[in-house]
Amino acid sequence: MLDFIARRLVAIIPVLAVVAVFVFLMLRLTPGDPAAVIAGDNATSDQIADIRAKLGLNEPLWTQFAIWIGNVLQGNFGESFFFKKTVAELIAQRIEPTVALSVCTLLFAVAVSVPIGVLAAYRQGSVFDRVVMGFSVLGFSVPGFVIGYCLIYVFAIELGWLPVQGYVRIEVNFWQFLERMILPSLTLSVGFIALIARITRASVLEVLNEDYIRTARAKGLSNRVVLMRHALRNAAVPILTVIGLGIAILIGGAVVTESVFGLPGLGRLTVEAVLSRDFPTIQTVILMFSVVYVVINLLIDISYTVFDPRIRY
Amino acid sequence: MTSSASPSPSPTLPRQTGEVARSAGGGPVLEVRNLTVSLPKGADRTNAVEKVSFTVNRGEIVCLVGESGSGKSVIAFTVMGLLAKALKPTGGEILLEGENVLAADETRLRDLRCTRMSMIFQEPMTALNPVMTCGEQIDEVLSTHTNLDANARKAKILGILARVKLPEPERIYHSYPHQLSGGQRQRIMIAMALVLDPVLLIADEPTTALDVTTQAEILKLIAELQESQGTGVLFITHDFGVVAEIAHRVAVLRWGELVEMGPTEQILARPGQGYTKMLISSVPSIHPQHRGERKNAITVLRTQKLGKTYTGHGFFQKARVVKAAVDVDLDIRKGETLGIVGESGSGKSTVARCIARLIDPSEGKVFLGDTEIATMPAGKLRPHRKRVQIVFQDPYRSMNPRITVGDFITEGPMNFGLGRGEALARARRLMETVRLDPNALDRYPHQFSGGQRQRICIARALAMEPELLIADEAVSALDVSVQKQVLELLDEIRQRLNLAVLFITHDLRVAAQICDFVAVMSKGRVVEYGPAEQVFGAPRDNYTKALFAAAPGRHWEFGKFAAA
């Protein structure tokens, strides 16, 4: 087990190195001069050249990379061109809404999708099953911002139950925080629920045909025990996998959802940074998302052993 | 609840011994009357089971025998109320100690399961939940059906684990199924089924998936437990060896109908019906016949110190080494059949795969004629590939369902440069050789039965005009009457084409009938090797002796019927 974790941690290094190179190159090779952006519309070419020199943009590409990666390894992510703050400060300011949104979405989505997936599998072919499957196609194909605006229109504007936009920090007022989390989480959950419900249904269906389910029924166990204790735990591995993969979708979805609901999170920070060619911020955010993604998938792989004793690394 | 005349079993009281129970038994434990179970529309017949009646008395083992599709498992599942939704009991009744279970609702059925009637299944490998410990799985039975507290339950479980003769009950209690062998898992299933002393045990092919020595132990265990508890057992099998070994009475089924029923001795020695006779005479004899020797024939295959070692890699751990085959020396001459027999994990399939170079041997040499192929690089090996062909065990999975039989047979020869016309002509000839209609070449595999598919697989192998044909458990998945036909066909082809055959099997009876020479393998080594007559007649190795002693029904000469 420790052997496995050690090997996986070592394997993360090349993955992140490749990500780092890509992130660095991608931004350098896109057209547009960040110095010109910083200097503004009325700047002279001397001023721009001055800024370029200050930012180190005149150095050869590999020197820029070496300086950048050296700093990153020391925990120095540089200073934002645009926001005039260190990137670390910037991210610290913006991380809370994104984490809150992701956690709420994850909890809500799993709490809803797993039970309906199990039930749909148990009642395969029934009306309930068909409704769930229909929803999952729909939830997958409707873009997040459409769902977001529809929810705002119905619940915030027409019914007036919830606020339209904005964010209140959790320590300031919990209820106001929760109120403002409901619609964004709901929006972001839809696709996620569709995905997990579908996979849950498929893997539970497969497990229900297994011999040990027949054994469990031959023991005289109730349907609930057969489903929850025998079927679901055996179906857990593919479900966990898709939850892990889904977190990538979640991060992408957060960008759109935060914009729709005016949440000052990392998603919106990314959009702002991209629009203003703020290299240090973009690089750091992408790098951070990569680390989060890799670590979550490692955790998911480890969690397999909890559900399936046959898996030993 | 309808209580029966016989003393009701209580989980906490010791039961009467088999003798007493048997004589004291009121009515039968199980009475099936005119049972009819219908198949869904579009099936090959209307009813899976039609008007079947039989009884199982206390302390009695009744065998339901039949080939696949005879409806024997459907009857078992109907009794338990575990029938697939598509199948519906449409007539008759099933009385469990007088209570009609066909009329019982789901709650009542749940109460009866494991307390009055229990079932064990064919595949111990998959019948247990892989993510729960064995102890937890037995505990579920107790916590569902009794009010015992945790300590009492645990004590009871350790007791039953000891009774089914599992070593170290405490360790087994905390083990997961994958940590146990097939035989041990079947013991867990038996413990689970019998922990509440049911009056009826249904055993659905419980030893079919097990090795022959394990099978003998499990059969003995079932017989012992049922005798001491006076349990009535409904034992489902296709194997007449097992029937001869364990049954008090036998019911023969065919296409859902009861052909005949009677005491074991009577059915085996003096069957009344032609079908029963045919079935019993299809069982291969365990005594080999004398076969002519071919001392002067050319050697087709020779292996020299052939070995295969698997190594697992670890970052920090020591590498695991598994020796699947060690120092295997074999040779086969033209027109000769060499059988490799052994239990699962003995290395017999590994050897076959090394010879066909489906896997690379790690030591030793393989000579095909004069060519050494064990270490030959893949590119050079290609032209030699056609010289060795394999027929695999499962005819259902070894054919691609989306290509026609014609393409299946001609693909190989065409790959080696034969024109389509010629290849098709050869395929038509071979279809006749394996006694199938040459006009069926444009059909798909699903349109054929298991036996027909295995014939097609043989035709495919022959289409390559091999020098050596490897049959890897090629008849093990077939019903006994079909098995007989395929064995005869293989032997006939061997004679006609003067083919060398390597026959891999776990079935001693089959080996006795088809092999000139036999190699017995155990733990990767050949422990005994010689002419079939000699190995079967006077085995020298202890393992071989144990293997033969475990063969079910070895004292019974099937098919020698007494005059009626």
Side-chain angles (χ1 to χ4, degrees), chain B residues 209-451:
Chain B
L210 302 175
D211 280 327
V212 54
T213 47
T214 317
Q215 167 170 343
E217 288 165 17
I218 296 287
L219 288 178
K220 197 169 144 227
L221 177 72
I222 292 175
E224 273 173 23
L225 289 175
Q226 93 40 248
E227 195 167 333
S228 69
Q229 304 301 313
T231 319
V233 177
L234 181 62
F235 197 105
I236 291 158
T237 184
H238 68 281
D239 186 339
F240 276 96
V242 171
V243 172
E245 202 75 18
I246 200 170
H248 296 135
R249 284 193 299 143
V250 186
V252 182
L253 289 164
R254 183 197 199 184
W255 298 335
E257 290 175 38
L258 189 71
V259 176
E260 65 178 311
M261 180 158 189
T264 308
E265 213 268 340
Q266 180 197 320
I267 295 284
L268 293 185
R270 298 179 299 280
Q273 299 294 320
Y275 176 72
T276 316
K277 264 187 194 156
M278 185 278 289
L279 215 52
I280 296 175
S281 11
S282 300
V283 179
S285 164
I286 200 159
H287 305 297
Q289 295 152 344
H290 180 75
R291 296 165 70 113
E293 290 192 28
R294 291 178 185 74
K295 281 255 160 64
N296 303 320
I298 321 161
T299 301
V300 174
L301 173 91
R302 189 159 57 88
T303 66
Q304 217 174 57
K305 300 233 170 282
L306 182 67
K308 176 71 187 171
T309 309
Y310 291 100
T311 33
H313 294 287
F315 202 58
F316 295 137
Q317 303 142 321
K318 243 171 55 180
R320 277 196 326 138
V321 176
V322 178
K323 297 201 165 190
V326 188
D327 289 346
V328 175
D329 296 321
L330 302 169
D331 57 274
I332 311 178
R333 283 177 290 236
K334 238 178 163 27
E336 207 174 74
T337 303
L338 167 67
I340 303 184
V341 299
E343 301 190 292
S344 48
S346 63
K348 52 191 195 302
S349 284
T350 304
V351 169
R353 272 156 212 204
C354 284
I355 289 171
R357 271 295 297 271
L358 292 180
I359 51 176
D360 296 331
S362 21
E363 287 111 347
K365 295 192 162 89
V366 176
F367 292 98
L368 252 189
D370 296 326
T371 328
E372 205 285 309
I373 59 159
T375 50
M376 196 176 264
K380 279 195 173 169
L381 184 66
R382 234 182 80 80
H384 298 289
R385 283 258 183 234
K386 61 184 292 227
R387 300 171 67 187
V388 181
Q389 290 298 311
I390 306 195
V391 178
F392 293 98
Q393 171 167 5
D394 192 337
Y396 289 91
R397 288 190 304 178
S398 48
M399 295 175 77
N400 185 337
R402 295 195 205 291
I403 69 172
T404 64
V405 167
D407 289 340
F408 180 65
I409 298 176
T410 55
E411 193 181 25
M414 284 170 64
N415 209 10
F416 278 91
L418 202 65
R420 185 166 175 80
E422 277 173 85
L424 268 176
R426 188 185 286 181
R428 294 179 70 90
R429 266 202 319 277
L430 285 167
M431 287 292 272
E432 278 176 24
T433 307
V434 299
R435 310 235 176 76
L436 289 171
D437 181 6
N439 295 319
L441 282 178
D442 54 356
R443 293 202 206 145
Y444 287 89
H446 70 267
Q447 292 167 292
F448 296 89
S449 70

Side-chain angles (χ1 to χ4, degrees), chain A residues 1-312:
Chain A
M1 187 69 191
L2 284 175
D3 180 79
F4 166 75
I5 296 173
R7 264 184 297 149
R8 284 292 300 263
L9 286 174
V10 172
I12 287 178
I13 295 170
V15 172
L16 292 182
V18 170
V19 171
V21 172
F22 262 96
V23 163
F24 182 81
L25 286 180
M26 213 157 54
L27 294 180
R28 298 299 140 139
L29 297 177
T30 45
D33 186 350
V37 176
I38 293 170
D41 289 342
N42 304 321
T44 64
S45 53
D46 279 356
Q47 280 173 315
I48 292 175
D50 200 37
I51 294 172
R52 284 186 66 87
K54 236 170 47 193
L55 292 175
L57 293 176
N58 291 329
E59 304 288 331
L61 210 55
W62 66 270
T63 318
Q64 290 185 37
F65 181 72
I67 293 169
W68 174 67
I69 204 80
N71 286 336
V72 166
L73 289 176
Q74 291 166 39
N76 174 8
F77 299 99
E79 192 170 317
S80 162
F81 294 169
F82 185 74
F83 295 96
K84 313 291 181 213
K85 280 182 188 163
T86 66
V87 176
E89 273 176 1
L90 207 55
I91 286 176
Q93 272 180 5
R94 298 293 197 93
I95 200 162
E96 193 197 284
T98 304
V99 171
L101 177 62
S102 304
V103 171
C104 288
T105 305
L106 200 60
L107 291 179
F108 180 69
V110 171
V112 172
S113 58
V114 172
I116 66 172
V118 173
L119 213 58
Y122 178 62
R123 300 209 182 135
Q124 189 194 5
S126 69
V127 176
F128 179 79
D129 182 28
R130 273 177 244 163
V131 168
V132 169
M133 284 297 94
F135 162 82
S136 104
V137 172
L138 202 69
F140 232 34
S141 33
V142 179
F145 67 89
V146 175
I147 297 169
Y149 285 129
C150 289
L151 290 176
I152 290 176
Y153 180 76
V154 175
F155 293 99
I157 297 173
E158 286 295 311
L159 297 170
W161 291 351
L162 296 163
V164 176
Q165 276 194 329
Y167 181 74
V168 171
R169 294 172 72 99
I170 188 164
E171 62 268 31
V172 173
N173 185 322
F174 180 74
W175 289 114
Q176 286 183 10
F177 160 81
L178 207 61
E179 236 176 32
R180 284 165 178 75
M181 271 296 128
I182 291 175
L183 290 184
S185 305
L186 216 58
T187 308
L188 200 47
S189 302
V190 172
F192 212 33
I193 290 174
L195 181 70
I196 305 173
R198 224 190 156 92
I199 296 294
T200 305
R201 176 181 177 274
S203 55
V204 169
L205 262 184
E206 203 180 311
V207 168
L208 284 179
N209 285 322
E210 295 285 343
D211 287 354
Y212 50 79
I213 298 298
R214 185 182 62 190
T215 306
R217 292 181 58 212
K219 286 200 274 193
L221 305 180
S222 67
N223 287 331
R224 191 184 54 82
V225 174
V226 171
L227 268 181
M228 300 317 275
R229 201 187 292 162
H230 289 267
L232 187 55
R233 219 184 127 188
N234 276 288
V237 166
I239 300 173
L240 280 171
T241 310
V242 85
I243 291 175
L245 294 174
I247 287 174
I249 304 175
L250 209 61
I251 292 169
V255 174
V256 176
T257 311
E258 284 176 15
S259 304
V260 171
F261 289 94
L263 300 175
L266 290 177
R268 244 173 76 198
L269 176 66
T270 313
V271 176
E272 288 162 12
V274 168
L275 291 178
S276 56
R277 300 193 184 288
D278 189 355
F279 288 169
T281 311
I282 300 172
Q283 284 165 341
T284 311
V285 169
I286 295 179
L287 214 51
M288 200 178 83
F289 282 156
S290 309
V291 173
V292 169
Y293 188 61
V294 170
V295 169
I296 284 176
N297 277 290
L298 174 61
L299 291 178
I300 296 242
D301 280 358
I302 294 169
S303 74
Y304 291 162
T305 59
V306 176
F307 289 92
D308 193 337
R310 285 168 302 179
I311 299 176
R312 284 280 171 269

